[in-house]
Amino acid sequence: MAAYGLYTHIASNKFRSMLLLAGLFLLIYVLVFAGALVAEVVLNSGASLNYYLTRASRDLISALPYATIIAALWIVIAYFFHQNMIDAVTGGERVTRQQQPRLYNLLENLCISRGITMPKLKVMDSPALNAFATGLNRRQYSITVTSGLLQALNDQEIEAVLGHELTHIRNGDVQLMVIAMIIAGVVGFFGELFFRTFTNLSWNSTGSDWSSSSSSSSSSSSSSSSSDRGKGGGGAIMAIIIAVVLILLAWLLSQVVKLALSRSRELLADAGSVELTKNPDAMITALRKIENRGELPGATSAVMELCVDNPREGFADLFATHPSVDRRVKALVQFAGGRDPGPLALPSDTADEPESEESSTEQLQPPVPPGPWSDASEPAGVPGARSGPLDGPWGPHR
């Protein structure tokens, strides 16, 4: 019953997510301000820090509409083409009922039972065990599963994974995650652009002027006094340091916010799967089978953040996009009454293991023919082997 109680947190989580998303959008303006600082230093390298901050603030106000339009245009492009980009990275292909009747029927039954519009169904050819949902509206929603998942999980476990992804769609998690990824992409793009601009700047021989590596050295004023240049140089250095710190802070916060959106929803999606399937054990065993087997080769970090499980972890769990499988299973056991079988080994895990030295030696040694009075049976599996007693020269030996 407590599994259903987890849904009391959905409203507050969605509200917090919207606030985080709005904060992430504001990071774009922080980057614009940082870029304005760099631009002012390039245009006038002999001013004070207060001058740069004042001018950058004015530049931010002037550039605010343009920055908003560019960010909105980026979002519009991603809105219509993000699914194509994800499919190009993962190789997912849409399947029909005729191609995947088992998978199609499981998803259709879940959707019919809750009156949910059925999303598109796609299969990715990969031995990894994983699945993810994408889309920004009902016409775009799709669920992609790997071929390895279909082979390793039974029907109840696959149904639980599909229920997990349907819950992400029902709760709006997929929409928020995709938007957060888009805006984080904008932050990353502007951050890289500013850093490239910054690395193209060089400190000239006077130690006081910032100039572009492609500009003429005659841009510096020969009439400036050495004390003014020193003061201006100090202000320029401080302005550049502030710009670099702001860019790093914006990027770091964009990643942290994006990861927080993902981590806060996995437990709810697990609980939602239990609500749809009424089978907590299936969700638990599915997680145990997927555990440490979900790495999608060639997939970007953005795609992995959408998956049922993301094995890619950062330092001190700061950049881990998903709670650990142990934590998720513990929640299902505690709140949904499931049973944890512990880590599960799959047949594929031992298929490629080398045979033990003892067994290899036994197979290499030829069978020893029994003597006339031997009561040993021939080794099992050897052509011509018998399961009964061997016949000696005077009849069956007992």
Side-chain angles (χ1 to χ4, degrees):
M1 292 181 61
Y4 299 92
L6 288 176
Y7 282 87
T8 59
H9 301 289
I10 289 180
S12 62
N13 278 338
K14 284 188 175 182
F15 178 72
R16 286 186 299 167
S17 298
M18 294 302 296
L19 291 180
L20 291 174
L21 203 56
L24 188 59
F25 199 83
L26 291 177
L27 293 178
I28 297 174
Y29 304 134
V30 175
L31 286 175
V32 172
F33 179 77
L37 278 176
V38 175
E40 290 297 337
V41 171
V42 174
L43 294 175
N44 184 6
S45 60
S48 64
L49 177 60
N50 185 56
Y51 170 83
Y52 294 129
L53 294 177
T54 303
R55 294 288 300 180
S57 299
R58 294 177 181 176
D59 294 340
L60 173 62
I61 296 175
S62 301
L64 204 61
Y66 302 101
T68 303
I69 292 174
I70 293 174
L73 182 61
W74 185 300
I75 293 175
V76 169
I77 294 174
Y79 180 87
F80 290 103
F81 298 106
H82 78 278
Q83 186 63 59
N84 294 334
M85 292 185 285
I86 292 175
D87 290 341
V89 172
T90 62
E93 296 183 358
R94 188 173 180 179
V95 295
T96 62
R97 187 194 302 273
Q98 291 72 24
Q99 295 171 315
Q100 288 286 344
R102 170 197 180 199
L103 183 62
Y104 197 96
N105 290 336
L106 289 174
L107 179 59
E108 187 180 51
N109 290 338
L110 285 175
C111 293
I112 292 175
S113 66
R114 288 296 185 271
I116 305 171
T117 302
M118 183 166 173
K120 301 172 185 176
L121 191 57
K122 299 184 179 183
V123 173
M124 173 183 174
D125 186 15
S126 172
L129 276 60
N130 228 324
F132 58 89
T134 54
L136 292 173
N137 55 53
R138 292 185 178 182
R139 291 175 296 179
Q140 293 181 340
Y141 289 142
S142 66
I143 295 178
T144 303
V145 300
T146 63
S147 57
L149 187 82
L150 297 178
Q151 297 173 2
L153 273 60
N154 60 36
D155 287 358
Q156 290 75 24
E157 293 161 350
I158 293 176
E159 186 179 46
V161 171
L162 294 175
H164 177 100
E165 298 304 329
L166 278 177
T167 301
H168 277 314
I169 293 176
R170 290 175 64 194
N171 294 346
D173 301 341
V174 172
Q175 187 179 35
L176 287 172
M177 278 301 302
V178 171
I179 293 175
M181 288 165 49
I182 292 170
I183 298 179
V186 176
V187 174
F189 173 78
F190 279 107
E192 183 178 357
L193 178 64
F194 292 149
F195 269 116
R196 287 182 180 275
T197 303
F198 174 74
T199 54
N200 287 332
L201 298 174
S202 61
W203 185 251
N204 68 10
S205 59
T206 64
S208 62
D209 294 332
W210 283 92
S211 60
S212 174
S213 58
S214 61
S215 64
S216 171
S217 60
S218 63
S219 61
S220 61
S221 174
S222 59
S223 62
S224 298
S225 65
S226 59
S227 60
D228 291 339
R229 288 197 299 264
K231 181 180 178 181
I237 292 175
M238 289 302 300
I240 291 297
I241 291 175
I242 292 174
V244 171
V245 171
L246 288 176
I247 293 172
L248 288 175
L249 182 62
W251 178 84
L252 181 62
L253 289 178
S254 70
Q255 300 303 310
V256 172
V257 169
K258 184 176 60 173
L259 304 185
L261 286 174
S262 175
R263 296 176 71 179
S264 65
R265 279 159 173 73
E266 294 306 317
L267 295 175
L268 290 176
D270 292 340
S273 175
V274 175
E275 182 190 13
L276 287 172
T277 65
K278 304 298 187 293
N279 191 349
D281 291 342
M283 189 68 237
I284 291 175
T285 55
L287 288 173
R288 285 302 187 186
K289 289 183 178 181
I290 294 172
E291 185 177 13
N292 298 323
R293 301 182 180 96
E295 178 66 32
L296 301 178
T300 62
S301 297
V303 174
M304 293 302 302
E305 290 160 12
L306 295 171
C307 293
V308 172
D309 182 41
N310 183 6
R312 301 178 185 176
E313 297 180 355
F315 60 91
D317 200 40
L318 176 62
F319 291 100
T321 63
H322 291 54
S324 66
V325 170
D326 286 335
R327 180 183 171 190
R328 295 166 66 177
V329 168
K330 182 179 179 180
L332 289 172
V333 171
Q334 181 178 358
F335 298 117
R339 293 169 294 178
D340 180 16
L344 298 176
L346 300 180
S348 58
D349 296 337
T350 57
D352 299 329
E353 292 183 1
E355 299 182 61
S356 64
E357 183 179 351
E358 181 179 355
S359 61
S360 300
T361 304
E362 290 178 356
Q363 290 184 0
L364 291 176
Q365 292 177 348
V368 179
W373 293 279
S374 173
D375 59 353
S377 299
E378 292 182 15
V382 176
R386 293 170 144 187
S387 58
L390 298 174
D391 291 340
W394 292 281
H397 179 72
R398 300 294 181 184

